[in-house]
Amino acid sequence: MSLEPGIPASAPRGIDESWPLVGRDSVIERAVSAISGPSRTVLAYGPSGIGKSRVVQAVTERLVADGWCVLAASGNTALSAVPLGALAPVLAGDPSMVAASGDPVALYAAASAAVRDLADGRRVVLAVDDVSAVDPVSVGLISQLVETGTLRLVATVREADPLPDALIPLASSGDSTRLDIDALDVDRVAELLTRVLGGPVAHRAAVELHGASHGNPLFLRELAIGAANAGSLRCVDGLWQLVGEPVGTPALRDLIRARLRRLGDDERDAVERLALCEPLAFDEFTRPGAHEALAELETHGLIRVDESADRMRVRLAHPHYASAVRDSIPRLRALSLLVEQAEVVASRPMSAGDELRVAIWRLDAGRPSDPGVLARTAALARMAHDRRTAERLAAAAVAAGADDAASLLLHGELLWSLGRADEAIAALERAEQRARSDGGPEELLAAIGAARADVLGGDPLGSARGIALLESLERALPSQAATLALRKAVLLVNLGYARDALAQVEAAASALGEHGVPQAMLDLARAMPLATLGRNDEAVAAAERAVAFAENDGTAFPLRRAEIVLAHALISADRLGEARATLIESLHEAIRDDDELTARLDEFMMGQVFWQLGRLDAAARWFRDTVGGAELHGPKSLREIALCFLAIIAAEQGDLVRARDLRARVVDGLDEEHAVAVVADAWIAVLEGRPDAAAAMLLERVDVAEHRGAVGIAAPLLHHLMRFGSRAHARTAAERLARLAETSDSPALQRRLAHARAEADADAVALRAIGAEWESIGCALYAAEAFASAGQAARAAGHGREATADLQRSASLAAACEGARTPLLQFSDGAEPLTPREREIASLAAQGLSSNEIATRLFLSPRTVNNHLQSTYAKLGIRGRHELRV
């Protein structure tokens, strides 16, 4: 299967085979230690499909390897009334035991003798799957055998099923261990999918499948198989993407329906209402017997009750219960339930949220509300961050006759937030035509134009067109100049016009005033120009004020929009850990709310964070997420920029062919608008042996950035120049950075200046100091490069011991940089180079993975992993993985 960008992969192979066990090492280790030590019983609890049986199987495999005799039994509801139905097959070698089933004393004696014969001197453990369904005679005998020390017990207990009475004394004793098998988190879901699919999975796909499955491995498997069969799980550019909603298999639906089949009429009615209308308040179930039915459903774990709000609300326990039930409800009954539930809620005083729910139910029932109500509820759904529902209601409003400019504007903005740019432009053009024909207010015309400019800015090379549109609106609508200036500032920053962008914001400030909502909007608008000007502390402070305002009053702008700006400012300031924390939370919320634009920006900036940290493979994964998501959902501009970053990373890893291929996929002319395209071209030129040409490219772009006041762009460009390995280039970079430093006291700029000066002077002490500083903020690649140069400088000065230490420290840091082979690292020849496999294993170990986890991920044995690690330690001159992490 191809995993290289640009080459499509085949459909997933083996996806419907047995999946590997992931994320359970710690619980397996705990169980083995317990049963091998003080615990007579180990009971594994969890819902169906969570992996209890797989965990117990892994535990027994470990025990067999340790010399135990393992006996296996299984509960079966159909055999639960048959005496010894569970244990007779296990101990069938002794007919007298079955014959003695009516005499407890004789039964115990026969069973003990049978176990001793099977054990042949070994310790014995009995593994029982679904112990709650084991027949009472078998349960009683198991309890006796455990109590007398004849064997030990490892068993699974299904959630909401009672433990058999005979086992309660054992389970409550001090020498019993309880294992709660938890759902897999997003990272473990991503790891599992990557191993099954044989290639990386887009973070968004992992998050969506995690949300749909609730981290349940069985549900995850059936959802992935269903998505693959439906063609919605696709490999695009070597990255598995989920297109559309996760769809389960018939097997999953049958599994859920089997669990619901035993429901009574009242319980089924409640489940069907929830499947169509959840969540519902407790008092919105008006059918006689409904409340008793809800209590029974809660006992069996089929519903969840939320008491955190002012009214008790009820949901189904799992989202796929809803889809399985909906598929089984006859259409006419579904329509009847929807209409009935809408009437129940509408008959009482309604909140805005109630009005939204009623509108959705009536729309689902084919009886939509009037256009005004639909448009109003679409706005409510957007405020609740439910963009798909909001767009559906807005589209219904327009279809029902809400053809006014405001409704069309709302629909266009929603389409753009969902990544449907062409449809958004069409809706916004209709909105503008309607506004002009109706003589709409200038505020409305400005809002429509600003929305159109935003969509244009999402196209490659579209920022200039967006600016031209806004400038024409400024001339036509002078009273709206301040509002339009704030939008224009964003597009100017995209093009690197930092000084002009800030001037636009300050002009708006003089018109809007600096208090309340205008102050927050100005803080939001100032942050990015300030960051681009290299005024990092001011940028972060402004963005933090905007975030604080949005957290308390989200009416001016969404919180996630402010968080995006804050993350940008933090990245510019080299505060990468804070940026990462901000972005990952924002990304998961954006995925949950179908906010495609925010999700794409979050993915892109996560790539920037990991790139600056020196985690090149991790950065490439995020940039591939950006490319794939932008191709499916937009904005297309981020696809081009992310491709440039991928080309840079390939060059930093020494892969010229791949770097060229990636750069060739970028739209022509991007280098005129975005410096990152020039950086990609320069790195490719370095690999081609043309460092002087590369330097000329960067310096030409530095001149442009400096002219526009974009210190935050010029400084990183000069840092790249310094990294090309020539002291002459480093000297030029230092001189130009010193000039920039006269206009900015940014610590990020000062750090790059110190590095360039130390490199230009071959100053081992200064290089060592800047390497330590880079390392302290997590930038491992820049630190590795600084220590490599320090080692070279120390060796040239005849300080052999210091040179060796510097080069070993460089190699240790580079091991965590996932294949980095930059010019400065090529000088670190004092330490024996690591092989690609050693670098891969060292990188995973540096991230904190155990040898077993690394072995599982790379399909190696733990012994092979440890051998590679020992070789790595010897080459790097370190004593263990704790120093590797350092």
Side-chain angles (χ1 to χ4, degrees):
M1 179 178 297
S2 168
L3 302 179
E4 292 299 313
I7 306 174
S10 61
R13 296 193 296 263
I15 192 173
D16 55 354
E17 298 173 359
S18 177
W19 282 29
L21 192 62
V22 165
R24 305 302 191 194
D25 288 352
S26 61
V27 73
I28 292 168
E29 192 64 42
R30 182 172 171 233
V32 171
S33 298
I35 209 70
S36 301
S39 296
R40 293 183 296 170
T41 61
V42 171
L43 301 176
Y45 289 80
S48 296
I50 205 67
K52 303 182 300 296
S53 302
R54 293 291 305 279
V55 167
V56 168
Q57 179 185 354
V59 170
T60 58
E61 288 172 356
R62 286 276 302 276
L63 293 174
V64 168
D66 291 342
W68 285 68
C69 172
V70 174
L71 307 178
S74 179
N76 187 313
T77 305
L79 297 176
S80 61
V82 178
L84 286 180
L87 279 188
V90 182
L91 305 176
D94 189 347
S96 63
M97 190 187 78
V98 179
S101 60
D103 182 348
V105 175
L107 176 60
Y108 168 72
S112 297
V115 170
R116 284 194 298 271
D117 288 343
L118 291 170
D120 193 22
R122 294 171 292 170
R123 292 178 294 178
V124 183
V125 63
L126 174 64
V128 181
D129 194 26
D130 199 1
V131 73
S132 298
V134 171
D135 63 279
V137 175
S138 292
V139 169
L141 180 56
I142 291 169
S143 177
Q144 286 182 297
L145 293 170
V146 174
E147 288 281 9
T148 58
T150 305
L151 51 75
R152 295 194 171 193
L153 174 66
V154 179
T156 67
V157 186
R158 192 163 50 194
E159 185 180 61
D161 282 353
L163 193 67
D165 291 344
L167 293 181
I168 291 176
L170 287 173
S172 58
S173 67
D175 59 2
S176 178
T177 297
R178 175 184 174 117
L179 301 176
D180 289 298
I181 313 300
D182 297 324
L184 300 177
D185 62 19
V186 172
D187 290 340
R188 298 289 79 76
V189 164
E191 179 184 348
L192 180 55
L193 290 169
T194 297
R195 291 182 58 188
V196 170
L197 297 172
V201 176
H203 186 76
R204 180 201 178 103
V207 171
E208 290 190 339
L209 285 167
H210 174 266
S213 67
H214 280 202
N216 183 301
L218 175 61
F219 282 18
L220 176 67
R221 180 181 185 274
E222 297 304 319
L223 286 167
I225 293 172
N229 291 341
S232 57
L233 185 61
R234 306 177 189 169
C235 192
V236 181
D237 280 347
L239 189 72
W240 288 101
Q241 301 257 13
L242 186 65
V243 183
E245 297 293 324
V247 179
T249 61
L252 177 59
R253 292 192 289 273
D254 290 345
L255 180 72
I256 294 170
R257 289 170 185 166
R259 190 173 184 195
L260 302 177
R261 198 169 291 136
R262 294 171 290 177
L263 299 180
D265 291 343
D266 291 342
E267 293 162 1
R268 174 161 288 281
D269 180 84
V271 166
E272 288 178 345
R273 289 177 190 275
L274 287 170
L276 294 167
C277 305
E278 68 175 353
L280 290 173
F282 186 70
D283 60 3
E284 289 171 350
F285 292 88
T286 57
R287 173 178 166 140
H291 293 174
E292 293 79 4
L294 290 172
E296 191 68 20
L297 291 169
E298 184 182 16
T299 300
H300 287 90
L302 294 175
I303 62 172
R304 292 184 289 116
V305 179
D306 179 9
E307 300 184 63
S308 61
D310 56 339
R311 299 167 72 190
M312 185 183 298
R313 295 188 179 276
V314 182
R315 292 180 180 273
L316 291 173
H318 197 284
H320 278 277
Y321 288 1
S323 61
V325 173
R326 280 197 301 268
D327 290 345
S328 66
I329 303 174
R331 179 58 180 161
L332 291 178
R333 173 162 172 77
L335 297 178
S336 174
L337 288 173
L338 287 163
V339 172
E340 182 182 320
Q341 204 62 48
E343 290 173 354
V344 168
V345 175
S347 66
R348 307 172 182 181
M350 289 196 293
S351 66
D354 293 335
E355 189 176 16
L356 173 59
R357 290 191 298 154
V358 168
I360 294 169
W361 297 338
R362 286 175 174 164
L363 186 60
D364 288 344
R367 300 182 184 181
S369 307
D370 66 76
V373 171
L374 288 167
R376 187 167 64 252
T377 52
L380 290 172
R382 180 167 69 168
M383 289 177 61
H385 307 297
D386 187 350
R387 285 170 173 77
R388 289 196 184 278
T389 297
E391 189 279 324
R392 184 165 167 252
L393 289 166
V398 171
D403 201 30
D404 60 290
S407 297
L408 291 165
L409 169 60
L410 172 64
H411 192 210
E413 290 176 329
L414 288 166
L415 288 166
W416 172 230
S417 73
L418 293 171
R420 294 157 62 181
D422 293 341
E423 295 172 78
I425 284 290
L428 292 170
E429 288 175 347
R430 283 180 58 198
E432 183 179 7
Q433 293 168 2
R434 175 61 66 186
R436 293 190 183 282
S437 65
D438 291 346
E442 290 192 351
E443 292 88 348
L444 181 58
L445 284 166
I448 295 169
R452 286 181 61 200
D454 285 347
V455 180
L456 290 173
D459 272 345
L461 315 181
S463 293
R465 286 183 291 145
I467 291 171
L469 171 62
L470 292 171
E471 288 177 342
S472 68
L473 287 170
E474 283 178 327
R475 293 189 292 271
L477 308 169
S479 67
Q480 300 302 306
T483 300
L484 296 169
L486 295 181
R487 294 297 185 101
K488 189 162 68 169
V490 175
L491 299 179
L492 286 168
V493 168
N494 289 349
L495 298 177
Y497 289 95
R499 196 179 292 115
D500 292 348
L502 187 59
Q504 291 288 324
V505 178
E506 299 308 335
S510 63
L512 296 174
E514 304 219 19
H515 59 276
V517 172
Q519 173 66 61
M521 294 176 63
L522 290 167
D523 279 332
L524 186 68
R526 279 193 184 103
M528 291 183 67
L530 287 169
T532 310
L533 285 164
R535 294 161 60 178
N536 301 119
D537 291 344
E538 295 175 72
V540 171
E544 287 176 338
R545 289 193 299 271
V547 167
F549 184 89
E551 286 174 336
N552 295 316
D553 181 359
T555 57
F557 46 80
L559 173 60
R560 283 201 291 272
R561 181 178 166 194
E563 289 174 335
I564 288 286
V565 173
L566 175 59
H568 174 84
L570 290 168
I571 292 170
S572 297
D574 290 340
R575 292 165 59 175
L576 303 174
E578 296 169 75
R580 179 182 177 183
T582 300
L583 288 168
I584 198 67
E585 183 177 348
S586 172
L587 174 60
H588 287 185
E589 290 180 359
I591 292 171
R592 182 195 66 201
D593 297 338
D594 292 311
D595 185 350
E596 293 292 349
L597 299 182
T598 300
R600 205 83 332 98
L601 286 164
D602 286 332
E603 291 165 350
F604 174 73
M605 287 196 285
M606 284 291 284
Q608 287 183 295
V609 166
F610 279 97
W611 177 63
Q612 286 190 213
L613 289 171
R615 297 276 306 282
L616 299 186
D617 286 344
R621 285 195 292 273
W622 283 109
F623 287 129
R624 285 199 298 270
D625 276 13
T626 307
V627 171
E631 288 178 343
L632 292 170
H633 308 290
K636 294 182 176 64
S637 59
L638 284 183
R639 172 192 181 273
E640 309 303 323
I641 302 172
L643 281 170
C644 289
F645 271 107
L646 285 169
I648 294 168
I649 290 169
E652 288 181 319
Q653 293 176 323
D655 191 338
L656 176 59
V657 172
R658 187 159 169 255
R660 284 172 170 164
D661 289 345
L662 287 160
R663 181 63 180 89
R665 294 172 60 194
V666 178
V667 65
D668 290 339
L670 191 73
D671 53 335
E672 297 295 324
E673 290 200 358
H674 291 281
V676 67
V678 179
V679 176
D681 291 336
W683 272 102
I684 289 170
V686 169
L687 257 65
E688 291 171 341
R690 300 184 296 115
D692 291 341
M697 295 177 197
L698 290 186
L699 290 171
E700 182 180 353
R701 192 62 186 215
V702 168
D703 290 339
V704 173
E706 196 171 356
H707 175 71
R708 296 174 179 176
V711 173
I713 294 174
L717 291 174
L718 292 167
H719 191 234
H720 282 289
L721 175 61
M722 180 222 72
R723 296 175 61 212
F724 290 166
S726 162
R727 288 180 62 186
H729 292 157
R731 192 171 299 111
T732 301
E735 291 169 356
R736 297 295 297 271
L737 284 164
R739 193 165 82 189
L740 293 175
E742 294 173 0
T743 63
S744 171
D745 59 357
S746 161
L749 189 155
Q750 296 295 332
R751 196 174 293 117
R752 287 163 176 79
L753 171 57
H755 195 169
R757 280 176 171 164
E759 191 70 47
D761 297 339
D763 185 337
V765 174
L767 284 162
R768 212 169 286 135
I770 193 62
E773 186 172 347
W774 282 123
E775 187 178 2
S776 71
I777 63 172
C779 295
L781 179 52
Y782 300 158
E785 290 174 336
F787 280 112
S789 293
Q792 287 298 113
R795 175 179 294 160
H799 301 151
R801 172 179 264 177
E802 292 177 1
T804 299
D806 288 333
L807 292 172
Q808 287 177 343
R809 191 167 181 182
S810 172
S812 179
L813 286 161
C817 294
E818 300 169 340
R821 294 180 58 195
T822 59
L824 291 178
L825 291 181
Q826 305 309 309
F827 295 152
S828 58
D829 54 1
E832 186 180 349
L834 302 181
T835 66
R837 179 62 89 182
E838 287 169 344
R839 281 188 178 276
E840 184 176 28
I841 290 172
S843 175
L844 295 173
Q847 296 170 43
L849 274 69
S850 69
S851 294
N852 285 339
E853 289 171 329
I854 295 171
T856 300
R857 181 173 294 191
L858 300 181
F859 304 100
L860 301 172
S861 71
R863 177 177 296 178
T864 300
V865 170
N866 287 327
N867 288 340
H868 280 299
L869 285 173
Q870 291 303 320
S871 175
T872 299
Y873 302 152
K875 290 181 179 181
L876 299 182
I878 60 178
R879 291 168 293 181
R881 65 171 64 221
H882 63 288
E883 293 185 47
L884 189 63
R885 294 192 189 112
V886 173

